[in-house]
Amino acid sequence: MPHFPSRPLSTTSTPPAQNFTYRLAAASSAKRHPPRAPKPQTDFWTYSSTTRNPSPPYLRSTKKDSGEDAFFATTIASSAHDVAFGVADGVGGWQDQGVDPSDFSHGLCGLMAGTAHIHEVDGRGPVRPQWLLQTAYDAVMANPRIMAGGSTATLATLSGDGEMETANLGDSGYLIFGPGKVAYRSAIQTHAFNTPFQMSKVPPKMQAQHAIFGGSTHFSETPAQADVVRHKVRHGDVVVVATDGVWDNLSAQDTLSIVTRVMQEGGYWSTSEDGNKETLLNTTSISSIDHEKDYLPASLATAIMREAKMAGLDRKRNGPFAKEVNYHYPAEGWSGGKPDDIAVVVCVAVDRRVGKQEEERPIKAKL
């Protein structure tokens, strides 16, 4: 899997200017759901960091909407500039132990959303994604209502100065898109093919049974083992965070094609006319996406979700998972996609300085 270099962070001793705000949307589809036209509040949800007192105060998934996958998105301490969002994928193998895998993943995302949303009200420092994951993980481990289970997780925080930090544990992941290109793709963490790093809660009784009789191994990583990466986003950058229900069926280039189509159809990207065929960003359109009839992050999230859903059900289209199976186990003869639960969150960065520059640009009088 290609690993793109991170953009350099700015280094300054002066307090950073809070020029960025963020527009978000989440989309999901449980494996058991048939393909359908996405409906708001059923298949996709929208969120903006500029909304005052949003109701509900943050986005979080429900089991009926996304199955064993979960997602969340929220402002940090009701800020107009700082956001946190992410996904978690309940490890399906726990079903063999009589455990609902969604308990762990949905509990984790709900706790991350609530913790981030009220964090600075308590007078603490800035939210960091690995700390946020650790805090939620500790709460899940201590919660007697979540008896057992496991999950992968990918989450990000973005601040008003355009600084982004991510924590990734397992085989969910994220992509960052600039105009017409994949600027960054996260690396997956696996023990072996189809065996991702995962947080686990194994009850003492089950641990004792395994010690005596053996049985399946429960891998048990902690948030301390998550990959942490920092980036600097730019006006109009698109961040896509998703579970392996997306990445097992869509490659980075597949996803770029989807994003490009949506961005070009909406007039957010265009192709230069100078013969270089360079993809250009329409800075004015990005600055005004709050006022568009078709909310851009929702269009992107639903397009990615639908394409991953259709690819997973297509028995003739070999996606990344099929190619990996055929590489590691050629005798299997795997053909087609991999049906799975899907959760995806899309975030679009908006730099208010760009919109302000456009508004202040002098208009030439007609002679």
Side-chain angles (χ1 to χ4, degrees):
M1 180 179 295
H3 191 72
F4 299 89
S6 175
R7 292 174 180 169
L9 293 167
S10 60
T11 54
T12 176
S13 57
T14 59
Q18 302 294 295
N19 293 310
F20 280 86
T21 54
Y22 303 97
R23 314 298 184 270
L24 301 104
S28 67
S29 178
K31 183 165 56 176
R32 65 180 182 278
H33 288 167
R36 61 192 180 195
K39 298 179 181 179
Q41 309 308 315
T42 300
D43 302 291
F44 69 92
W45 302 261
T46 60
Y47 195 87
S48 172
S49 67
T50 60
T51 302
R52 290 182 178 270
N53 302 317
S55 180
Y58 47 76
L59 295 183
R60 59 170 296 185
S61 53
T62 65
K63 296 180 184 182
K64 68 181 181 64
D65 297 322
S66 57
E68 295 169 5
D69 289 1
F71 65 79
F72 80 96
T74 184
T75 53
I76 298 174
S78 302
S79 167
H81 299 283
D82 304 339
V83 295
F85 57 94
V87 296
D89 184 352
V91 177
W94 278 95
Q95 290 178 338
D96 298 336
Q97 309 291 329
V99 174
D100 183 350
S102 65
D103 288 344
F104 197 110
S105 57
H106 285 269
L108 195 70
C109 281
L111 286 160
M112 287 192 288
T115 301
H117 189 70
I118 67 171
H119 177 74
E120 290 184 349
V121 174
D122 295 335
R124 301 170 185 169
V127 169
R128 304 286 293 274
Q130 192 175 39
W131 172 88
L132 186 59
L133 182 59
Q134 182 71 56
T135 301
Y137 168 79
D138 290 342
V140 167
M141 298 299 284
N143 188 339
R145 290 177 295 178
I146 301 176
M147 301 297 295
S151 178
T152 67
T154 301
L155 63 152
T157 59
L158 285 118
S159 60
D161 56 353
E163 304 289 351
M164 174 178 173
E165 186 169 316
T166 62
N168 182 51
L169 186 96
D171 60 356
S172 295
Y174 66 97
L175 294 170
I176 304 175
F177 296 98
K181 64 181 180 181
V182 178
Y184 184 85
R185 180 173 187 175
S186 61
I188 65 172
Q189 295 177 315
T190 61
H191 294 281
F193 170 66
N194 206 32
T195 309
F197 280 27
Q198 54 199 263
M199 297 164 285
S200 296
K201 184 175 185 178
V202 185
K205 182 177 179 180
M206 190 177 293
Q207 294 177 19
Q209 289 174 340
H210 287 173
I212 297 171
F213 302 107
S216 59
T217 300
H218 290 292
F219 293 101
S220 189
E221 280 73 42
T222 70
Q225 292 162 276
D227 283 338
V228 176
V229 184
R230 301 179 71 191
H231 309 269
K232 181 74 174 180
V233 297
R234 299 168 181 160
H235 180 69
D237 276 358
V238 176
V239 182
V240 177
V241 177
T243 57
D244 67 346
V246 171
W247 309 129
D248 281 342
N249 292 298
L250 300 178
S251 67
Q253 291 304 311
D254 292 334
T255 314
L256 175 60
S257 296
I258 298 166
V259 171
T260 299
R261 173 175 55 80
V262 173
M263 297 296 276
Q264 290 184 339
E265 288 177 352
Y268 302 102
W269 289 354
S270 61
T271 304
S272 64
E273 302 295 333
D274 58 6
N276 294 326
K277 299 301 180 182
E278 180 184 7
T279 302
L280 304 175
L281 176 70
N282 185 329
T283 57
T284 304
S285 292
I286 291 292
S287 296
S288 61
I289 60 176
D290 282 343
H291 310 294
E292 298 294 334
K293 179 180 179 182
D294 297 318
Y295 187 59
L296 175 60
S299 298
L300 290 166
T302 54
I304 293 168
M305 180 269 286
R306 290 190 73 186
E307 188 65 22
K309 181 81 171 183
M310 297 305 296
L313 297 172
D314 191 335
R315 305 314 305 166
K316 297 182 179 179
R317 176 177 171 180
N318 283 352
F321 182 80
K323 294 174 182 177
E324 285 288 308
V325 173
N326 291 325
Y327 174 78
H328 292 283
Y329 306 102
E332 290 288 331
W334 184 285
S335 178
K338 181 191 176 189
D340 201 355
D341 298 319
I342 293 168
V344 55
V345 182
V346 171
C347 176
V348 179
V350 179
D351 187 341
R352 67 179 180 86
R353 293 170 298 183
V354 177
K356 188 175 181 180
Q357 289 167 1
E358 294 291 334
E359 292 173 0
E360 294 177 350
R361 183 175 296 171
I363 300 175
K364 293 182 180 180
K366 293 183 179 180
L367 299 178

